[in-house]
Amino acid sequence: MRIIQLTAISAAVLASTAALAAEPVYMVDGNAVQPTNSSNYAYEDRGVIRNTTGAVVGGIRNTTGALVGGTKTIFGTLLNPASISAEVGSMGYGANLGYSINDKVELQAGWAGGDVADLFGGDFDANDVNYDVDADFSNPYMGVQLRPAANWFTMGAGIIVPDNDIEVTSNPNGGIYKVNGNQYNANDVGTLKGTLEHRNELAPYATIGFRPNITNNFGVFGEIGAAYLGKTDADINSVSNNLVVRDETGAVTGETSSSVAAIAERELEDKNYAEWLPIVKLGATYRF
C-alpha cells in the first residue's frame, strides 16, 4: 500500500510540473491553437471550449489540464482527510490520528494514559474506608467520530484496550476502620494496601461532544461519555499481621488484621470501583 501511495504521489508531482510548464493547446476547426488570452476560454466536462459569451469554439486537446485536475483529486484524497490531535482528560494525556471518510464520518486511533488519580481527587471511599489512589493508566483505543448534521456536534463510539495499574492505600478515620459495619482499631489492623484490576480486556465506550474548526487547519474539541471497564478484582493485604484486633472500645473482636483485610477486599469488589470510567476530554486538532 505504501508503494502504491508513493507511486501515486510521484505521478501527481510530475503531472503538476508538466502542467505548469506547458502552454494550453486547443483544437479549433481541426487546427491547434494557442490563444494569447486563455482566460477567454473555459474547460467543460463534455470536452468542448466555450468563449466568454458561451459559444462553442472547439474541442479540448489539452491532456495536461486533465492531469492537473486528477492530481488535485489524488492529493485531496491522500492528505486532506488526515488529522492529528492532542488530548487531556479522565483517561490521561494522549494523542490520536484521524482519517475522514467523508464530512460525517472520521476513523480514529489513539492512546491516553499516565497518572490520572489526581483528576479524580486522588482518593475514594469504599463503604466507610477511604483509600488513596496511585494510578498508571494505559488506554489504546480505536473508534469512529460521527457528525450527524455535518457540523460541529459529534457522537463517538469505539473500543478501549485498558491496561491500567491501580494501587490503593487505606486512610483510617480517627484511628478507626469501619469495615462491614464493624469498627476496628486502626493500630491493630495496620495499613491496608493493595491493587485493583478490571476484568474487561476490551472496554466499549460512547461519547458526545463538539469539534469546531478555528481555521482551515486548526480546531478544538471537547467530549463527555463513559467506558465500561467491567467488574473489579481486588487484592488487599494488611502490613500489620496482628493476630488480635480490638474494636473502638478496646474489646477483642476475634478478627485478625488479615481477616479484616479480606473483608475490605470483598467490599472493594462489591463497590466496583470505576466499573464505569467517566470520559471527559479536551484537546486540539491539526488537519493536514
Side-chain angles (χ1 to χ4, degrees):
M1 178 62 72
R2 179 173 294 178
I3 293 176
I4 294 174
Q5 290 179 346
L6 290 175
T7 303
I9 292 174
S10 298
V13 171
L14 290 175
S16 298
T17 304
L20 293 174
E23 288 292 331
V25 178
Y26 307 93
M27 291 299 294
V28 181
D29 296 331
N31 299 314
V33 177
Q34 289 184 325
T36 57
N37 186 3
S38 59
S39 63
N40 291 332
Y41 298 89
Y43 289 96
E44 294 234 347
D45 293 337
R46 293 186 297 275
V48 299
I49 303 174
R50 300 177 184 270
N51 62 17
T52 54
T53 66
V56 176
V57 296
I60 299 174
R61 191 198 67 83
N62 187 359
T63 57
T64 303
L67 285 175
V68 172
T71 301
K72 291 180 180 178
T73 301
I74 290 172
F75 277 120
T77 302
L78 293 179
L79 298 180
N80 286 351
S83 64
I84 185 170
S85 301
E87 64 183 58
V88 59
S90 56
M91 293 199 305
Y93 308 90
N96 69 66
L97 298 175
Y99 190 88
S100 296
I101 303 300
N102 52 47
D103 61 345
K104 293 186 178 182
V105 181
E106 181 179 73
L107 303 180
Q108 288 185 340
W111 177 91
D115 186 355
V116 300
D118 289 341
L119 297 175
F120 297 99
D123 67 331
F124 72 98
D125 292 325
N127 291 337
D128 293 308
V129 180
N130 180 264
Y131 293 92
D132 285 331
V133 182
D134 184 14
D136 185 11
F137 275 20
S138 178
N139 292 298
Y141 63 89
M142 295 183 65
V144 59
Q145 283 286 336
L146 303 177
R147 297 177 184 260
N151 59 11
W152 55 266
F153 175 72
T154 63
M155 300 173 63
I159 293 293
I160 300 172
V161 186
D163 183 17
N164 301 324
D165 296 326
I166 304 174
E167 297 180 356
V168 295
T169 303
S170 63
N171 293 313
N173 183 12
I176 297 295
Y177 285 122
K178 187 175 182 180
V179 181
N180 196 29
N182 298 316
Q183 294 186 350
Y184 302 98
N185 188 299
N187 291 329
D188 294 337
V189 175
T191 301
L192 302 176
K193 297 176 67 71
T195 60
L196 301 178
E197 183 176 355
H198 293 96
R199 299 176 185 175
N200 282 10
E201 294 184 0
L202 296 176
Y205 73 86
T207 62
I208 59 172
F210 64 93
R211 288 178 174 264
N213 294 322
I214 305 303
T215 68
N216 288 336
N217 298 104
F218 287 96
V220 296
F221 65 89
E223 295 178 39
I224 59 172
Y228 182 68
L229 298 181
K231 294 186 179 297
T232 302
D233 288 326
D235 182 15
I236 302 299
N237 297 285
S238 170
V239 299
S240 173
N241 293 321
N242 284 338
L243 298 179
V244 177
V245 174
R246 292 161 292 185
D247 61 20
E248 75 279 9
T249 67
V252 175
T253 64
E255 302 282 359
T256 66
S257 58
S258 296
S259 64
V260 173
I263 297 172
E265 178 178 294
R266 290 195 297 271
E267 288 194 339
L268 266 175
E269 292 181 341
D270 291 341
K271 175 73 173 179
N272 291 324
Y273 171 66
E275 179 178 356
W276 286 91
L277 174 67
I279 295 177
V280 180
K281 64 171 69 174
L282 296 172
T285 297
Y286 178 81
R287 189 169 299 279
F288 297 98

